[in-house]
Amino acid sequence: MTVQTKPNSFRSGPDERGRFGLFGGRFVAETLMPLVLDLERAYEEAKRDPAFAAELENFSRHYVGRPSPLYFAERLTAHFGGAKIYLKREELNHTGSHKVNNVLGQILLARRMGKNRIIAETGAGQHGVATATLCARFGLKCIVYMGAVDVERQEPNVIRMRMLGAEVVPVHSGSKTLKDALNEALRDWVTNVADTFYCIGTVAGPHPYPMMVRDFQCVIGREVREQLQEAEGRLPDSLIACIGGGSNAMGLFHPFLDDPDVAIYGVEAAGHGIASGLHAASLTGGRPGVLHGNRTYLLMDGDGQITEAHSISAGLDYPGIGPEHSWLHEVGRVTYLSATDAEALESFQLLSRLEGIIPALEAAHALARVAELAPKLPKEHLMVVSLSGRGDKDVPQVAEMLAAR
């Protein structure tokens, strides 16, 4: 799992303080500091242990079902008439999304640390389902915090978590969405120090979480490098992924950051439009600040108070973004775009009808920008899109919206 980088590599971060340029770090209360330092030590030891890597590889292959396919979307490609589009099929993983890659790594680490009570936050429910699944597999107690709004709009995943034995705790404070679920999970962690491991679901939070989650998700990009070499004999020309906190995107992007000929696009949730103020596009419509233990781009009002995010997608409904994305935005290595609710809904239907693949609303945001970019590109251009999750969880919500039209 050790990453080899060049001195001026885009892949060399974070530094010893857990920072990517001005972003990241560890902005936590004194009571939490021993916990994150213990986690950092345990993770560094695990990375050097061949037995940990072997266990991770074994469960990734035989339980999660990796490698996930890289699929040539022939009909989608013909529809747009430009770039050749490949879909990285993370929705075919056990539990239905990329989230299980990271959860598996963290649960194996928790067992190594002797922690038998696992807490997690979730928005769309995919991280919660993955955590509940792995806790069931290893006989661990699981508590999942979820905003009350998300509990209602993601009911299929709530049912799945409870069937797997997890306790789902609705959070009624604030906007009752992902930000508030994360707040409650942090409160739990600091009051249950001895036996509890906090399994964060994205590349955010205090160091070492942004680095650790990224490392576990990089299996996505590493597989793409090998699979496209086999299919086309070369690297992709462009990569596209949706971004909330940004773990599926970072997992795809990171192995390619030092390949200058690979264009990289992240797609945030523009909600009802950036100008409306009802969106979740932190890079497009926010500014740097501190939230949930790290410095990153955030949605804030003039007084620096965190504002409510909005997205049709519960998994992108977060007022911040992972700190490494903020750094990549500022240095210009990744281009960050956005897609509205309406565009995502259109792409959700398009992929379903053309390829027989129902995507998660999160992934549909990335597909919305494919619809804009692909037709302008030559037919030899190879574009890889992260299909981060399947849309089963979103079907009731989408059906309701379409019926209301």
Side-chain angles (χ1 to χ4, degrees), residues 283-284 297 324-334 336:
L283 292 177
T284 308
Y297 269 76
E324 191 167 6
H325 284 295
S326 292
W327 176 71
L328 289 168
H329 166 66
E330 291 219 335
V331 299
R333 177 60 187 98
V334 177
Y336 292 89

Side-chain angles (χ1 to χ4, degrees), residues 290-365:
V290 174
L291 180 67
H292 296 144
N294 70 106
R295 187 172 192 270
T296 189
Y297 269 76
L298 302 168
L299 300 179
M300 296 185 287
D301 63 20
D303 296 322
Q305 297 298 307
I306 303 300
T307 58
E308 291 187 13
H310 163 78
S311 172
I312 192 175
S313 161
L316 304 184
D317 198 356
Y318 181 66
I321 193 169
E324 191 167 6
H325 284 295
S326 292
W327 176 71
L328 289 168
H329 166 66
E330 291 219 335
V331 299
R333 177 60 187 98
V334 177
T335 300
Y336 292 89
L337 310 170
S338 62
T340 65
D341 289 351
E343 290 172 322
L345 189 59
E346 198 65 36
S347 294
F348 179 98
Q349 296 174 83
L350 184 67
L351 189 68
S352 300
R353 292 169 179 172
L354 287 182
E355 294 289 352
I357 300 170
I358 302 175
L361 281 171
E362 289 83 0
H365 284 73

Side-chain angles (χ1 to χ4, degrees), residues 89-211:
R89 301 286 306 275
E90 290 298 293
E91 94 283 5
L92 293 179
N93 294 335
H94 183 41
T95 75
S97 80
H98 69 290
K99 293 292 187 180
V100 71
N101 304 324
N102 163 54
V103 172
L104 174 62
Q106 289 199 56
I107 294 299
L108 294 180
L109 186 61
R111 294 175 71 234
R112 185 183 176 96
M113 296 174 71
K115 306 288 187 178
N116 55 25
R117 179 178 182 269
I118 309 299
I119 60 173
E121 87 296 329
T122 196
Q126 291 300 102
H127 176 61
V129 168
T131 305
T133 298
L134 269 299
C135 284
R137 168 59 182 82
F138 291 109
L140 303 172
K141 185 174 183 179
C142 180
I143 297 93
V144 179
Y145 291 92
M146 190 172 189
V149 168
D150 294 335
V151 168
E152 184 176 341
R153 64 178 170 176
Q154 297 293 317
E155 185 182 12
N157 274 344
V158 175
I159 293 170
R160 291 170 74 194
M161 284 183 270
R162 288 174 173 155
M163 288 182 69
L164 289 160
E167 177 186 352
V168 180
V169 180
V171 177
H172 295 276
S173 59
S175 60
K176 305 176 188 178
T177 55
L178 182 57
K179 166 180 67 71
D180 313 291
L182 210 153
N183 286 338
E184 288 302 314
L186 285 169
R187 291 189 188 101
D188 182 314
W189 195 25
V190 78
T191 53
N192 295 281
V193 174
D195 65 343
T196 296
F197 184 99
Y198 182 12
C199 184
I200 287 183
T202 193
V203 285
H207 179 70
Y209 281 105
M211 172 186 69

Side-chain angles (χ1 to χ4, degrees), residues 17-35:
R17 298 178 302 160
R19 301 204 178 198
F20 304 91
L22 297 174
F23 302 101
R26 266 192 288 247
F27 295 86
V28 296
E30 286 184 32
T31 47
L32 272 180
M33 189 60 80
L35 300 180

